[in-house]
Amino acid sequence: MTSRLERIAQQRRQKLDRIRTRGINPYPHRYHRSHTTQEAVALLKQEEGERETLTLRTRGLRDSSPSVTVAGRITARRNMGKITFMDLRDSSGKIQLLCGELLDVDQNQILKEIDIGDIIGASGRLFRTKTKEPTIAVSDLTLLAKSLRPLPEKWHGLSDVDTRYRQRYLDLIANTEVKETFQVRSRIITAIRQFLNQRGFLEVETPVLQPSAGGALALPFITHHHALDQDFYLRIATELHLKRLIIGGFDKVYELGRIFRNEGISTKHNPEFTMLESYEAYADYNDVMKMLEEMVSNISQQVLGTDKIKFGDNIIKFKPPWQRLSLRQAIKEYSGIDFDQFPDADSLRAEMLKLKMEVDPQKDRGRLIDELISTFVEPNLMQPTFLLDYPVEMSPLAKVKPDDDRLVERFEAFAGGMEIANAFTELNDPIEQRQRFLQQQKEREAEGEMVESIDEDFLLALEYGMPPTGGLGVGIDRLVMLLTNQQSIREVILFPQLREKT
């Protein structure tokens, strides 16, 4: 039995055939428009400001009415006897078209074949209807692309989540607020670049395919290069290559790039995501803290016009200075556990079990502490907060504190109940760095995890000397979630990963 959607698609193909029979190309190569829809509306307002409001006469428009040529998708159609009103939408907005009296016989025949979803071009004069709607009285109509499938029912409110993510193009057509979210995302990234460029940072690019997966504790994706007959990893961080550039003499570098981690999917995690990493020579994590809070506040002001934003039921204030808490203090406050009192994994695990937590018996002390953060601390950090000074076993690339070699100079930044950034005073002692890598490798082997080879070229580069350096990583997708009031990372990634549809 043929479905309703199949019948509509069949009818549209029949219309396509009739259009071609008339010698009309339904998919022309180009079309020159004079204005976007919003530029056309602005032109009408400008003309109205210079003289009385333009009105539609019984047999046409004033000769002085401004003429425009626009193009876009038809999103609504209303037939009213001899005339037809249509809504035309482009990337800037929408405008109403009035079609009928000014079209010749051939174009009126084409008008009959136009469906919601078709992309057309239209020329004509601007005016306002009796209801004050900006409108174009169309004198020339051109079909630019025939839509063979109907838009979703109630195109302005496509709500099926799976369809929205799997067919993002329909989501963008149907939901204008979705398009606005991604426009804001673009402006946020532009503002980040401007902020860093103005501070003397150089934007660079580093390899996506890497011979070893380093710079973070994460499971990588593996691929094979046939010409070299060698396995490569999709990068899990840009850190080790960016540090090579600091060693090479660039004092301030950053990269905005895609990162790939072969791990879980949630409202805060996507296997492919965007990360900002920056490195500044002769700086430490205190300098990076000041830069981050200034950057986020600056971006919020520049893009949204305020540094106070709504996120869920909360108002988040990005104005510096942000709250600063030691990691030990925060975990003790929210969980009741003082991890200093539990110097090994077994004793800490036993204490966590008292809180009815499900604890992996293979996890080392550092990962157990990380679990305490995500379970008890993170959900409570709604206002921007820096958690400072992490145990050394959690941070193999960070420098120890001068007054306590059990801790490193590291912070994580939180807002909206999630982590948005991570930063170190970078370890630049090549001997200690090798020892840390070997210890990390040993611990992961004990946990039964896949262990990557140590990046020997990075260690070789460190032996040539890296200056004191402050490094920063910012999860761009989560920052965009905050600034656009979205509760799922899939709402700010145009094409999120989904399970294949069977």
Side-chain angles (χ1 to χ4, degrees), residues 202-218:
L202 177 71
E203 183 174 9
V204 298
E205 296 173 308
T206 60
V208 172
L209 293 178
Q210 300 184 353
S212 61
L217 291 175

Side-chain angles (χ1 to χ4, degrees), residues 7 33 49 55 207 217 229 263 303 323 334 434 477:
R7 290 196 302 273
R33 60 182 179 178
T55 55
L217 291 175
D229 192 21
E263 298 176 337
V303 175
Q323 179 180 215
Y334 291 109
R434 178 178 291 278
D477 308 292

Side-chain angles (χ1 to χ4, degrees), residues 296-307 309 318 483:
V296 175
S297 176
N298 179 288
I299 290 166
S300 183
Q301 285 279 8
Q302 182 176 333
V303 175
L304 304 177
T306 177
D307 58 10
I309 60 102
F318 288 119
L483 294 177

Side-chain angles (χ1 to χ4, degrees), residues 321-385:
W322 296 359
Q323 179 180 215
R324 286 155 167 77
L325 295 173
S326 75
L327 178 64
R328 178 187 176 190
Q329 172 190 352
I331 291 178
K332 187 175 180 180
E333 177 180 344
Y334 291 109
S335 75
I337 294 178
D338 181 353
F339 62 70
D340 264 9
Q341 304 301 314
F342 306 97
D344 56 58
D346 289 339
S347 61
L348 181 57
R349 188 179 297 110
E351 191 66 17
M352 292 168 68
L353 288 170
K354 293 179 182 178
L355 299 178
K356 309 298 184 184
M357 295 181 67
E358 293 184 10
V359 184
D360 186 339
Q362 299 299 318
K363 285 188 175 180
D364 61 25
R365 183 172 180 268
R367 295 198 181 193
L368 293 176
I369 292 173
D370 195 46
E371 204 166 305
L372 288 171
I373 298 170
S374 59
T375 302
F376 293 104
V377 181
E378 186 172 331
N380 288 291
L381 300 182
M382 196 56 56
Q383 294 304 317
T385 301

Side-chain angles (χ1 to χ4, degrees), residues 170-186:
L170 291 181
D171 192 23
L172 294 170
I173 292 170
N175 299 313
T176 55
E177 67 275 11
V178 172
K179 185 180 290 184
E180 290 167 3
T181 293
F182 288 103
Q183 289 170 334
V184 171
R185 179 188 174 108
S186 178

Side-chain angles (χ1 to χ4, degrees), residues 5 150-178 491:
L5 292 179
L151 296 180
E153 291 292 339
K154 299 181 180 179
W155 68 270
H156 55 281
L158 178 66
S159 58
D160 181 77
V161 172
D162 185 72
T163 301
R164 287 185 54 236
Y165 298 151
R166 202 174 293 279
Q167 295 177 275
R168 182 66 88 181
Y169 45 90
L170 291 181
D171 192 23
L172 294 170
I173 292 170
N175 299 313
T176 55
E177 67 275 11
V178 172
E491 296 291 350

